[in-house]
Amino acid sequence: MSSPFDQYDASAPDSRGATAAQPGQRQPAAPGEVRPAEQIEGAHDTYDKGEVGSIGAILGAVAGDVSTLMQQEVALAKAEIRQSAQNAGKGAGMLAGAGVAGHLALIFLSIALWWGLGSWRDNFGVAALIVGILWAVIAAALAAKGRSELKQVNGVPRTMETAKKVPDALKGNEDHR
């Protein structure tokens, strides 16, 4: 089977003396010559240029393409969220493990401090009391700092403010600022 391009030589000049700019590019038609329509590649079908069934067919194809695009975007978002959630889960698990390891290290360092103070003073009861008081002071300082930080939490004041305006905006009674 021969194609419409077989009869044209891109390097040979046409009847007007012009040659194609690039090899394989279709030459202009000679006066009075009728060639087959160029193919248009669409997402669903290949149409001949100027021979699409109707505007409805075009709009249907566009709507189908938009629907497919939206489905693909949603699928991509789901995949990205799933991957992010897996990474967050792994990170949270590792942080929990680090917290347990830190707690155990703190216990053993406290025991070592108690043992060292007890051996130095020859009184393990007083050494235990000193280590306990030290940890009580640290706990009180952390609690005070945490409480002051929590008092500074405002929640989501701008979101609450705009959320209160939604019913009025839906009714058309929105205050434009």
Side-chain angles (χ1 to χ4, degrees), residues 4 7-8 26-38 51:
Q7 61 184 332
Y8 302 107
R26 191 170 178 169
Q27 293 289 323
E33 180 183 4
V34 177
R35 290 196 229 163
E38 297 176 32
E51 300 203 8

Side-chain angles (χ1 to χ4, degrees), residues 1-10 24-30 33-39 48:
M1 180 174 175
S2 67
S3 90
F5 294 104
D6 291 342
Q7 61 184 332
Y8 302 107
D9 180 9
Q25 187 179 24
R26 191 170 178 169
Q27 293 289 323
E33 180 183 4
V34 177
R35 290 196 229 163
E38 297 176 32
Q39 296 292 309
D48 287 335

Side-chain angles (χ1 to χ4, degrees), residues 6 9 33 42 53 67 82-83 104 116-117 138 148 170 173 175:
D6 291 342
D9 180 9
E33 180 183 4
S67 174
R82 188 177 311 115
Q83 183 65 38
L104 290 173
L117 286 175
I138 291 171
S148 69
L170 292 175
N173 300 331
D175 180 25

Side-chain angles (χ1 to χ4, degrees), residues 86-102:
Q86 287 175 350
N87 291 343
K90 288 177 187 176
M94 289 181 185
L95 284 175
V100 169

Side-chain angles (χ1 to χ4, degrees), residues 154-165:
N154 293 338
V156 286
R158 292 183 66 197
T159 302
M160 292 299 293
E161 181 182 324
T162 57
K164 289 177 184 176
K165 293 181 181 180

Side-chain angles (χ1 to χ4, degrees), residues 75-85:
L76 176 62
K78 284 180 181 179
E80 287 178 337
I81 289 170
R82 188 177 311 115
Q83 183 65 38
S84 293

